[in-house]
Short mmCIF file of all heavy atoms in Angstrom, two decimals:
data_model
loop_
_atom_site.label_atom_id
_atom_site.label_comp_id
_atom_site.label_asym_id
_atom_site.label_seq_id
_atom_site.Cartn_x
_atom_site.Cartn_y
_atom_site.Cartn_z
N THR D 23 66.86 162.86 255.74
CA THR D 23 67.46 161.69 255.10
C THR D 23 66.35 160.94 254.32
O THR D 23 65.16 161.13 254.61
CB THR D 23 68.09 160.75 256.11
OG1 THR D 23 67.03 160.17 256.92
CG2 THR D 23 69.09 161.44 256.99
N PRO D 24 66.75 160.08 253.35
CA PRO D 24 65.73 159.28 252.65
C PRO D 24 64.84 158.48 253.64
O PRO D 24 63.65 158.40 253.41
CB PRO D 24 66.56 158.39 251.75
CG PRO D 24 67.79 159.20 251.47
CD PRO D 24 68.09 159.91 252.77
N ALA D 25 65.43 157.91 254.65
CA ALA D 25 64.62 157.15 255.61
C ALA D 25 63.65 158.04 256.38
O ALA D 25 62.49 157.66 256.59
CB ALA D 25 65.53 156.38 256.58
N GLU D 26 64.11 159.20 256.80
CA GLU D 26 63.22 160.14 257.49
C GLU D 26 62.09 160.60 256.58
O GLU D 26 60.94 160.67 257.02
CB GLU D 26 64.01 161.36 257.98
CG GLU D 26 64.94 161.12 259.11
CD GLU D 26 65.85 162.25 259.45
OE1 GLU D 26 66.06 163.15 258.59
OE2 GLU D 26 66.37 162.29 260.56
N LYS D 27 62.43 160.88 255.31
CA LYS D 27 61.39 161.32 254.36
C LYS D 27 60.34 160.22 254.18
O LYS D 27 59.12 160.48 254.16
CB LYS D 27 62.01 161.62 253.01
CG LYS D 27 62.71 162.94 252.94
CD LYS D 27 63.25 163.19 251.53
CE LYS D 27 64.05 164.45 251.49
NZ LYS D 27 64.65 164.68 250.17
N LYS D 28 60.78 158.97 254.03
CA LYS D 28 59.85 157.87 253.84
C LYS D 28 58.92 157.74 255.05
O LYS D 28 57.70 157.66 254.89
CB LYS D 28 60.59 156.55 253.58
CG LYS D 28 59.64 155.40 253.38
CD LYS D 28 60.35 154.21 252.79
CE LYS D 28 59.40 153.05 252.50
NZ LYS D 28 58.36 153.37 251.56
N LEU D 29 59.51 157.76 256.25
CA LEU D 29 58.70 157.60 257.44
C LEU D 29 57.71 158.76 257.60
O LEU D 29 56.57 158.55 257.92
CB LEU D 29 59.62 157.52 258.66
CG LEU D 29 58.95 157.08 259.99
CD1 LEU D 29 58.23 155.78 259.84
CD2 LEU D 29 59.98 157.03 261.08
N TRP D 30 58.12 159.96 257.28
CA TRP D 30 57.29 161.12 257.42
C TRP D 30 56.17 161.13 256.35
O TRP D 30 55.01 161.18 256.71
CB TRP D 30 58.09 162.42 257.33
CG TRP D 30 57.23 163.64 257.29
CD1 TRP D 30 57.04 164.48 256.24
CD2 TRP D 30 56.40 164.13 258.34
NE1 TRP D 30 56.13 165.47 256.54
CE2 TRP D 30 55.73 165.28 257.85
CE3 TRP D 30 56.14 163.73 259.63
CZ2 TRP D 30 54.83 166.02 258.60
CZ3 TRP D 30 55.23 164.45 260.38
CH2 TRP D 30 54.64 165.60 259.90
N TYR D 31 56.57 161.11 255.09
CA TYR D 31 55.57 161.25 254.02
C TYR D 31 54.69 160.05 253.82
O TYR D 31 53.52 160.18 253.44
CB TYR D 31 56.27 161.59 252.71
CG TYR D 31 56.81 163.00 252.71
CD1 TYR D 31 58.13 163.29 252.79
CD2 TYR D 31 55.92 164.10 252.65
CE1 TYR D 31 58.61 164.60 252.80
CE2 TYR D 31 56.39 165.41 252.68
CZ TYR D 31 57.73 165.65 252.75
OH TYR D 31 58.19 166.94 252.78
N ASP D 32 55.19 158.85 254.13
CA ASP D 32 54.40 157.65 253.90
C ASP D 32 53.69 157.12 255.11
O ASP D 32 52.91 156.18 255.02
CB ASP D 32 55.28 156.54 253.30
CG ASP D 32 55.81 156.86 251.94
OD1 ASP D 32 55.36 157.86 251.29
OD2 ASP D 32 56.72 156.14 251.44
N TYR D 33 53.94 157.73 256.29
CA TYR D 33 53.25 157.24 257.48
C TYR D 33 52.96 158.27 258.54
O TYR D 33 51.79 158.56 258.85
CB TYR D 33 54.07 156.11 258.12
CG TYR D 33 53.40 155.48 259.33
CD1 TYR D 33 52.20 154.82 259.19
CD2 TYR D 33 53.94 155.60 260.58
CE1 TYR D 33 51.54 154.26 260.30
CE2 TYR D 33 53.32 155.07 261.69
CZ TYR D 33 52.10 154.40 261.56
OH TYR D 33 51.47 153.89 262.65
N LEU D 34 53.99 158.90 259.13
CA LEU D 34 53.75 159.74 260.28
C LEU D 34 52.80 160.92 260.07
O LEU D 34 51.99 161.23 260.91
CB LEU D 34 55.09 160.25 260.86
CG LEU D 34 55.97 159.17 261.50
CD1 LEU D 34 57.30 159.75 261.90
CD2 LEU D 34 55.29 158.48 262.66
N ARG D 35 52.91 161.54 258.91
CA ARG D 35 52.03 162.73 258.69
C ARG D 35 50.57 162.35 258.52
O ARG D 35 49.72 163.20 258.57
CB ARG D 35 52.55 163.56 257.55
CG ARG D 35 52.31 162.99 256.19
CD ARG D 35 52.81 163.93 255.12
NE ARG D 35 52.46 163.40 253.82
CZ ARG D 35 52.26 164.12 252.76
NH1 ARG D 35 52.41 165.42 252.81
NH2 ARG D 35 51.93 163.54 251.61
N THR D 36 50.29 161.04 258.32
CA THR D 36 48.89 160.57 258.18
C THR D 36 48.27 160.17 259.49
O THR D 36 47.09 159.86 259.51
CB THR D 36 48.85 159.37 257.20
OG1 THR D 36 49.46 158.25 257.82
CG2 THR D 36 49.50 159.67 255.89
N LEU D 37 49.04 160.14 260.55
CA LEU D 37 48.51 159.71 261.84
C LEU D 37 47.45 160.71 262.35
O LEU D 37 47.52 161.90 262.06
CB LEU D 37 49.65 159.55 262.88
CG LEU D 37 50.62 158.44 262.65
CD1 LEU D 37 51.69 158.42 263.72
CD2 LEU D 37 49.93 157.09 262.56
N PRO D 38 46.52 160.18 263.13
CA PRO D 38 45.46 161.07 263.68
C PRO D 38 45.93 161.87 264.91
O PRO D 38 45.10 162.50 265.55
CB PRO D 38 44.35 160.08 264.03
CG PRO D 38 45.08 158.84 264.38
CD PRO D 38 46.27 158.80 263.45
N VAL D 39 47.18 161.85 265.19
CA VAL D 39 47.75 162.67 266.27
C VAL D 39 48.81 163.59 265.67
O VAL D 39 49.34 163.29 264.60
CB VAL D 39 48.41 161.82 267.40
CG1 VAL D 39 47.34 160.99 268.10
CG2 VAL D 39 49.50 160.91 266.82
N ARG D 40 49.07 164.71 266.29
CA ARG D 40 50.05 165.64 265.80
C ARG D 40 51.46 165.13 265.98
O ARG D 40 51.86 164.76 267.09
CB ARG D 40 49.90 166.99 266.50
CG ARG D 40 50.79 168.07 265.91
CD ARG D 40 50.49 169.40 266.50
NE ARG D 40 51.30 170.39 265.83
CZ ARG D 40 51.71 171.49 266.41
NH1 ARG D 40 51.36 171.79 267.64
NH2 ARG D 40 52.44 172.34 265.73
N VAL D 41 52.21 165.07 264.89
CA VAL D 41 53.61 164.63 264.94
C VAL D 41 54.47 165.82 264.50
O VAL D 41 54.28 166.42 263.43
CB VAL D 41 53.86 163.44 263.98
CG1 VAL D 41 55.30 162.99 264.04
CG2 VAL D 41 52.92 162.28 264.28
N LEU D 42 55.44 166.16 265.31
CA LEU D 42 56.37 167.26 265.00
C LEU D 42 57.69 166.67 264.45
O LEU D 42 58.16 165.64 264.96
CB LEU D 42 56.65 168.07 266.25
CG LEU D 42 55.43 168.71 266.92
CD1 LEU D 42 55.82 169.34 268.24
CD2 LEU D 42 54.78 169.71 265.98
N ARG D 43 58.24 167.35 263.48
CA ARG D 43 59.52 166.92 262.89
C ARG D 43 60.61 167.82 263.41
O ARG D 43 60.43 169.03 263.54
CB ARG D 43 59.51 167.06 261.38
CG ARG D 43 58.57 166.17 260.67
CD ARG D 43 58.65 166.38 259.14
NE ARG D 43 58.18 167.71 258.76
CZ ARG D 43 58.64 168.36 257.69
NH1 ARG D 43 59.54 167.83 256.92
NH2 ARG D 43 58.16 169.55 257.43
N GLN D 44 61.78 167.20 263.70
CA GLN D 44 62.98 167.95 264.10
C GLN D 44 62.63 168.96 265.19
O GLN D 44 62.78 170.15 265.04
CB GLN D 44 63.64 168.61 262.90
CG GLN D 44 63.96 167.67 261.77
CD GLN D 44 64.92 166.54 262.14
OE1 GLN D 44 65.68 166.65 263.09
NE2 GLN D 44 64.86 165.43 261.42
N ARG D 45 62.19 168.44 266.31
CA ARG D 45 61.72 169.25 267.44
C ARG D 45 62.82 169.45 268.46
O ARG D 45 63.35 168.46 269.00
CB ARG D 45 60.52 168.58 268.07
CG ARG D 45 59.98 169.28 269.27
CD ARG D 45 59.31 170.54 268.91
NE ARG D 45 58.66 171.12 270.06
CZ ARG D 45 58.00 172.22 270.05
NH1 ARG D 45 57.85 172.88 268.92
NH2 ARG D 45 57.46 172.70 271.14
N PRO D 46 63.18 170.73 268.80
CA PRO D 46 64.11 170.93 269.88
C PRO D 46 63.50 170.55 271.25
O PRO D 46 62.36 170.95 271.54
CB PRO D 46 64.38 172.45 269.85
CG PRO D 46 63.99 172.86 268.47
CD PRO D 46 62.83 171.95 268.11
N ILE D 47 64.21 169.73 271.98
CA ILE D 47 63.85 169.39 273.38
C ILE D 47 65.16 169.45 274.16
O ILE D 47 66.09 168.72 273.86
CB ILE D 47 63.19 167.99 273.49
CG1 ILE D 47 61.89 167.91 272.67
CG2 ILE D 47 62.93 167.67 274.96
CD1 ILE D 47 61.26 166.54 272.64
N ASP D 48 65.17 170.30 275.14
CA ASP D 48 66.38 170.56 275.94
C ASP D 48 67.52 170.93 274.98
O ASP D 48 67.32 171.86 274.20
CB ASP D 48 66.71 169.28 276.76
CG ASP D 48 67.67 169.57 277.91
OD1 ASP D 48 68.46 170.51 277.82
OD2 ASP D 48 67.62 168.83 278.92
N ASN D 49 68.65 170.25 275.03
CA ASN D 49 69.75 170.60 274.13
C ASN D 49 69.83 169.68 272.94
O ASN D 49 70.90 169.58 272.30
CB ASN D 49 71.06 170.57 274.93
CG ASN D 49 71.13 171.68 275.93
OD1 ASN D 49 70.78 172.85 275.61
ND2 ASN D 49 71.52 171.42 277.15
N TYR D 50 68.75 169.02 272.59
CA TYR D 50 68.74 168.06 271.50
C TYR D 50 67.66 168.46 270.47
O TYR D 50 66.72 169.17 270.80
CB TYR D 50 68.44 166.63 272.02
CG TYR D 50 69.40 166.21 273.05
CD1 TYR D 50 69.06 166.17 274.41
CD2 TYR D 50 70.71 165.83 272.71
CE1 TYR D 50 69.99 165.76 275.37
CE2 TYR D 50 71.61 165.45 273.67
CZ TYR D 50 71.24 165.41 274.98
OH TYR D 50 72.15 165.01 275.94
N ILE D 51 67.78 167.89 269.27
CA ILE D 51 66.77 168.01 268.28
C ILE D 51 66.36 166.58 267.96
O ILE D 51 67.17 165.79 267.44
CB ILE D 51 67.26 168.72 267.01
CG1 ILE D 51 67.66 170.15 267.32
CG2 ILE D 51 66.14 168.73 265.95
CD1 ILE D 51 68.32 170.88 266.15
N VAL D 52 65.12 166.22 268.31
CA VAL D 52 64.65 164.85 268.07
C VAL D 52 64.05 164.82 266.64
O VAL D 52 63.52 165.76 266.13
CB VAL D 52 63.64 164.40 269.12
CG1 VAL D 52 64.29 164.46 270.53
CG2 VAL D 52 62.36 165.18 269.09
N ASP D 53 64.16 163.63 266.03
CA ASP D 53 63.69 163.47 264.64
C ASP D 53 62.19 163.69 264.56
O ASP D 53 61.70 164.46 263.76
CB ASP D 53 64.06 162.10 264.08
CG ASP D 53 65.54 161.95 263.88
OD1 ASP D 53 66.24 162.97 263.67
OD2 ASP D 53 66.05 160.81 263.93
N PHE D 54 61.40 162.97 265.39
CA PHE D 54 59.96 163.10 265.39
C PHE D 54 59.47 163.03 266.83
O PHE D 54 60.03 162.30 267.67
CB PHE D 54 59.33 161.93 264.59
CG PHE D 54 59.76 161.85 263.17
CD1 PHE D 54 60.72 160.99 262.78
CD2 PHE D 54 59.22 162.71 262.21
CE1 PHE D 54 61.17 160.93 261.46
CE2 PHE D 54 59.69 162.69 260.91
CZ PHE D 54 60.61 161.79 260.55
N TYR D 55 58.42 163.79 267.14
CA TYR D 55 57.90 163.88 268.48
C TYR D 55 56.39 163.88 268.47
O TYR D 55 55.79 164.73 267.78
CB TYR D 55 58.45 165.13 269.17
CG TYR D 55 57.92 165.36 270.57
CD1 TYR D 55 58.01 164.38 271.55
CD2 TYR D 55 57.33 166.57 270.90
CE1 TYR D 55 57.54 164.57 272.82
CE2 TYR D 55 56.84 166.77 272.18
CZ TYR D 55 56.94 165.76 273.13
OH TYR D 55 56.47 165.97 274.39
#
Side-chain angles (χ1 to χ4, degrees):
T23 67
E26 289 171 339
K27 283 181 185 177
K28 180 166 183 60
L29 191 57
W30 173 249
Y31 287 108
D32 295 348
Y33 183 65
L34 292 175
R35 75 178 184 152
T36 68
L37 292 179
V39 294
R40 186 172 185 210
V41 181
L42 301 173
R43 294 182 294 151
Q44 305 301 336
R45 177 70 173 180
I47 298 176
D48 198 333
N49 291 316
Y50 303 104
I51 299 173
V52 301
D53 292 333
F54 301 100
Y55 176 54

